[in-house]
Amino acid sequence: MECENGKRAFLQGSEACVEAALTAGCRFFAGYPISPANEIAEHMAARLPKVGGIFLQMEDELASIGAVVGASWCGVKAMTATSGPGFSLMQETIGWAFMTETPCVIVDVQRVGPGTGQATKCAQGDVMQARWGTHGDYMAVSLCPNSVQEVFELTIRAFNLAEKYRTPVTLLTDETTVHLREHLVIPPLENMEIVNRKKPKAGEQIFFGLESVAPMPSIGEGFNVAVTGSTHDERGFRFTADPVVHRRVVEAINNKIRKNLDDIVEVESYNVEDCKVGVVAYGITSRAIYEAVEEAEKRGVKVGYVRLKTLWPFPEKSVQRLAENAEKIIVPEMNLGQIVNEVKRVAGCTEVVPLNKIGGGELITPEEILEKILKEAP
């Protein structure tokens, strides 16, 4: 299926992800088959060659993310798509990408874990892995859609943030969201912002470790640059025993994200200033809060919510504002409690109440959230 910009389309979430990636300028994909992410690879294999791109099925996920990082240094926007076990295998090279400031997009379609778990069932158990999966000090960027329309929009945003800040970006979706089939509106290309990485000028020698984001040369452009995951200075030269150089480069790759939170963090909020009960939700679970909040209001309960379109960096300001007004905050998640601990960290004295469900891909329903709201309402 090919989609025209400026048209209304009826797509599966996986297809929307691919169409958005192509619109954003993705011209390389490498991946290894895994449920429930296979439809992304299947659609990409059909579409990418038609726009002059390259699709590679690799021997495993380690090779896949390695090929993606290599392609990015060859000058093309690159992505992969995987699920829990594959996301685990990719973590070391994702860390290498953080250290080398390599822009790339990783789509993680969450399924029930740990281990191979329930391969075809929906879950939200990779939230903390997306933040802390690799070792060392870094600032992860993860976006979390809750509809086919938003899969399209946030895939483009993932590429834009990756290119703008020279960093890996994870689109943290789930089995149900990518298998939804819904109408979406694809804006005209001239109405969409497409960001490309900053390129160096002839003679430049600083390619790493700038909080303003250094320009990124590509292989074959004539620049003399070493690319290493070891500690390096602004030119890429290794300094594996120098504490000053290490502090400088690592603080820079953290600060370029930390100092731009207002640009990176995005939420949807409702009635935050006038609520007694608050809800913080994300991804597929957040679709249930609309009906639950509407029904609670019909019963006289003042409810507000913050929906996290950006999971990482965590939207602290928005959740803190909700906590200043709500007497209790409910956090529904399809895991045994991950984002709820982040909400507790920033909520101060406001009581934070988890609502969890795991296994079988069973979603948290509007009725279950409504029941929790009515139970916790003051």
Side-chain angles (χ1 to χ4, degrees):
M1 179 180 294
E2 299 180 20
C3 296
E4 294 182 52
N5 293 104
K7 299 285 187 180
R8 186 175 167 88
F10 187 61
L11 297 182
Q12 190 186 69
S14 297
E15 296 167 344
C17 178
V18 171
E19 296 300 327
L22 299 181
T23 301
C26 176
R27 292 298 179 266
F28 183 87
F29 180 100
Y32 183 75
I34 187 168
S35 296
N38 284 330
E39 288 86 349
I40 295 175
E42 182 179 353
H43 194 58
M44 190 63 94
R47 290 283 286 123
L48 198 49
K50 295 181 180 178
V51 297
I54 295 174
F55 174 95
L56 286 180
Q57 180 179 316
M58 304 299 290
E59 63 268 37
D60 57 31
E61 288 87 352
L62 287 81
S64 299
I65 188 64
V68 165
V69 169
S72 185
W73 276 99
C74 288
V76 297
K77 296 181 181 180
M79 70 175 280
T80 186
T82 188
S83 188
F87 195 41
S88 298
L89 288 171
M90 292 180 179
Q91 290 302 323
E92 182 179 1
T93 305
I94 292 173
W96 196 91
F98 277 116
M99 191 59 161
T100 56
E101 302 181 65
T102 304
C104 57
V105 172
I106 303 108
V107 180
D108 177 29
V109 183
Q110 295 175 94
R111 71 188 206 187
V112 176
T116 45
Q118 295 177 316
T120 62
K121 303 300 183 183
C122 184
Q124 294 180 311
D126 301 354
V127 172
M128 284 299 168
Q129 186 181 31
R131 173 62 186 93
W132 299 108
T134 192
H135 57 283
D137 296 299
Y138 60 96
M139 291 284 287
V141 179
S142 300
L143 311 181
C144 193
N146 81 343
S147 67
V148 174
Q149 180 75 49
E150 211 163 80
V151 168
F152 185 88
E153 294 170 355
L154 293 191
T155 299
I156 292 178
R157 183 166 168 75
F159 274 97
N160 285 347
L161 292 174
E163 294 287 315
K164 186 174 184 177
Y165 295 106
R166 274 188 63 182
T167 188
V169 175
T170 302
L171 186 76
L172 193 63
T173 183
D174 57 75
E175 179 277 332
T176 301
T177 302
V178 300
H179 288 152
L180 287 172
R181 189 169 289 278
E182 298 178 321
H183 281 107
L184 76 157
V185 176
I186 300 177
L189 189 57
E190 59 270 23
N191 292 347
M192 287 189 273
E193 181 187 25
I194 304 298
V195 177
N196 297 309
R197 68 193 64 171
K198 184 166 63 177
K199 302 295 290 184
K201 298 174 183 175
E204 284 194 67
Q205 297 182 332
I206 304 300
F207 306 122
F208 301 97
L210 300 182
E211 292 181 16
S212 58
V213 185
M216 182 177 175
S218 299
I219 293 172
E221 290 180 340
F223 292 93
N224 184 17
V225 52
V227 183
T228 174
S230 297
T231 293
H232 50 271
D233 69 4
E234 289 78 358
R235 298 165 298 171
F237 295 169
R238 295 174 79 243
F239 284 86
T240 58
D242 189 324
V244 175
V245 173
H246 184 79
R247 281 194 286 271
R248 194 167 68 227
V249 67
V250 172
E251 288 174 358
I253 64 177
N254 279 266
N255 286 338
K256 69 181 179 181
I257 303 300
R258 185 176 290 116
K259 293 184 177 179
N260 290 285
L261 296 180
D262 289 341
D263 181 49
I264 297 169
V265 171
E266 194 174 31
V267 303
E268 176 192 350
S269 61
Y270 170 77
N271 203 30
V272 168
E273 308 295 338
D274 186 30
C275 63
K276 295 295 184 183
V277 178
V279 181
V280 175
Y282 57 92
I284 189 65
T285 301
S286 66
R287 287 175 71 107
I289 65 175
Y290 304 122
E291 182 180 338
V293 169
E294 183 178 346
E295 289 300 319
E297 289 182 328
K298 289 178 181 176
R299 304 180 193 206
V301 181
K302 290 186 175 180
V303 188
Y305 65 76
V306 174
R307 181 171 74 83
L308 311 178
K309 298 169 73 172
T310 304
L311 271 183
W312 307 113
F314 187 68
E316 294 186 6
K317 288 183 181 179
S318 299
V319 175
Q320 284 170 345
R321 193 159 56 247
L322 179 67
E324 290 169 1
N325 297 290
E327 296 182 20
K328 291 187 179 181
I329 296 177
I330 298 168
V331 185
E333 300 182 88
M334 293 180 66
N335 53 51
L336 290 181
Q338 298 196 18
I339 280 295
V340 67
N341 293 317
E342 287 296 300
V343 177
K344 289 179 179 177
R345 182 176 63 82
V346 303
C349 296
T350 302
E351 184 178 353
V352 180
V353 182
L355 173 57
N356 307 109
K357 183 188 280 188
I358 59 170
E362 295 180 356
L363 304 181
I364 297 176
T365 66
E367 292 77 14
E368 289 170 324
I369 296 177
L370 175 62
E371 181 182 357
K372 196 72 169 179
I373 290 173
L374 298 177
K375 178 182 177 183
E376 301 295 339

